[in-house]
Amino acid sequence: MTNAPLRLSLDSTALVANWRALATMSGSAACGAAIKADGYGLGAVEVVKRLAAVGCRDFYVATWAEAPAVASLGVSVSVLHGVREEDMAQAGAGRARPVLNTANQVARWKQAGGGPCDVMVDTGMNRLGVSIDDVATGLLDGLHIETLMSHLACADEDHAMNELQRVAFTGLVGRTDARRMSLANSAGIALGKDYAFDLTRPGIALYGGVPRSEFAGVLHQVVTPEAQILQRRLVPAGAPIGYNAACIAPTDLDVAILNLGYADGYFRGFSGKGAALFEGLRLPVLGRVSMDLIAIDVSVAPLLAEGDWVQLDYALPMAAMASGMSQYELLTGLGTRFERRWIS
């Protein structure tokens, strides 16, 4: 999309630096990349190009619909949600590996010839994965398993479940023919080398999210939303601004209307709490965030005019606190009306 009134400024240098930092923290384990949800909203193909160029070799999508564009780049792609009957034709082409999650998926894959696959084992999250008992009773026997993996439920907290899951997963060492074992997500990497096994699978941290305090100052913001001013107007003291008159101008205010709203992923939680930025100035959001528009106070920026651009204050940990949304939602919710521009 070109000439859009919204754009995302995407920092290649920050993305690569984040992956390298996570790779270093992973120790001797390889460091992959979760690129599901179109690279957490940044654009999976462009993310893969940049990470593959600096040594990332393992990429993870959620569904088979996400796989072809990435696989066409010639990288290793695994599909986390396994393989349904409807997916078998695409899976059988061998351009991506399924991560088998259920006994039915295992049987389906074996019946089709049992090519290379990954397998998810449930170690306590009770989401996706075959059971530890399934492994013990031989469900996976005969599979050509590249990576045996599990997923941590509480890695972003100092929770007893982290150690319980690590111990359960460690108990699977040597019990399958898997070439590698993988447990740690972004937050799991910060839990230490005992969680790294052979391969880590960061997601949110690649894109500048900070799931644990250990990452503060280590990871860099990758995405900065920017919006164009549609109108600048003077709102007199006592006049309402936006839906439901939720904001009443306390004094005469210079107000700019931006082409941005919750349909673009700038959620209603930013109403009266978010801000734009311009040349070091903070420009507060006034009133309700609507579907396509927000109002900001530009009284301290007299030179800002119709057609000018401002950045959104979108540093992920702080923006999450302000909006009440998770860092994941703030990234993946960024809509298709943004033009995505990679810099550096």
Side-chain angles (χ1 to χ4, degrees), residues 184-200:
N185 53 7
S186 289
I189 292 173
L191 296 178
K193 64 180 182 180
D194 290 343
Y195 287 81
F197 289 87
D198 304 305
L199 169 70
T200 62

Side-chain angles (χ1 to χ4, degrees), residues 45-336:
V45 167
E46 296 302 320
V47 169
V48 171
K49 288 179 181 177
R50 286 158 176 79
L51 296 185
V54 295
C56 185
R57 294 293 176 261
D58 299 276
F59 296 93
Y60 295 87
V61 298
T63 70
W64 287 94
E66 296 179 320
V70 177
S72 68
L73 300 175
V75 298
S76 174
V77 182
S78 295
V79 181
L80 291 165
H81 293 183
V83 59
R84 306 168 302 158
E85 188 64 45
E86 298 94 323
D87 302 319
M88 286 302 296
Q90 185 176 346
R95 300 183 69 189
R97 290 195 307 274
V99 180
L100 305 178
N101 289 289
T102 71
N104 284 340
Q105 290 182 7
V106 170
R108 184 176 295 126
W109 195 244
K110 285 182 177 180
Q111 186 177 7
C117 64
D118 299 333
V119 175
M120 178 71 70
V121 180
D122 177 26
T123 54
M125 192 174 187
N126 285 305
R127 199 172 63 169
L128 292 178
V130 302
S131 71
I132 291 175
D133 286 343
D134 285 335
V135 178
T137 56
L139 176 69
L140 307 184
D141 292 354
L143 284 176
H144 179 187
I145 303 173
E146 175 67 18
T147 306
L148 188 73
M149 63 182 71
S150 191
H151 195 72
L152 293 164
C154 304
D156 56 345
E157 304 174 12
D158 292 327
H159 196 290
M161 192 169 173
N162 294 328
E163 179 64 5
L164 292 174
Q165 287 191 264
R166 187 197 67 79
V167 169
F169 195 59
T170 301
L172 297 176
V173 173
R175 296 179 66 179
T176 73
D177 293 330
R179 187 173 75 85
R180 304 181 299 183
M181 296 183 68
S182 177
L183 177 63
N185 53 7
S186 289
I189 292 173
L191 296 178
K193 64 180 182 180
D194 290 343
Y195 287 81
F197 289 87
D198 304 305
L199 169 70
T200 62
R201 312 185 312 273
I204 188 71
L206 290 170
Y207 310 107
V210 183
R212 287 185 62 94
S213 61
E214 290 89 342
F215 292 121
V218 175
L219 302 174
H220 307 279
Q221 184 89 1
V222 176
V223 57
T224 301
E226 300 174 345
Q228 194 172 29
I229 294 175
L230 293 178
Q231 185 185 67
R232 181 178 177 127
R233 63 190 303 139
L234 178 66
V235 177
I241 301 170
Y243 278 124
N244 300 109
C247 176
I248 304 297
T251 60
D252 291 352
L253 294 180
D254 287 306
V255 175
I257 307 301
L258 304 184
N259 201 118
L260 175 72
Y262 57 75
D264 305 297
Y266 195 75
F267 298 110
R268 286 179 59 125
F270 285 111
S271 299
K273 298 178 181 178
L277 302 171
F278 179 74
E279 295 184 348
L281 300 172
R282 190 173 189 275
L283 313 173
V285 171
L286 300 170
R288 296 274 174 85
V289 173
S290 58
M291 181 180 290
D292 311 299
L293 300 168
I294 60 171
I296 58 172
D297 183 352
V298 293
S299 301
V300 297
L303 298 181
L304 271 178
E306 183 176 323
D308 288 340
W309 289 81
V310 295
Q311 296 181 344
L312 277 299
D313 188 359
Y314 216 70
L316 288 171
M318 283 68 76
M321 291 180 63
S323 66
M325 310 298 285
S326 73
Q327 296 177 62
Y328 300 83
E329 291 167 296
L330 293 180
L331 280 179
T332 61
L334 293 169
T336 58

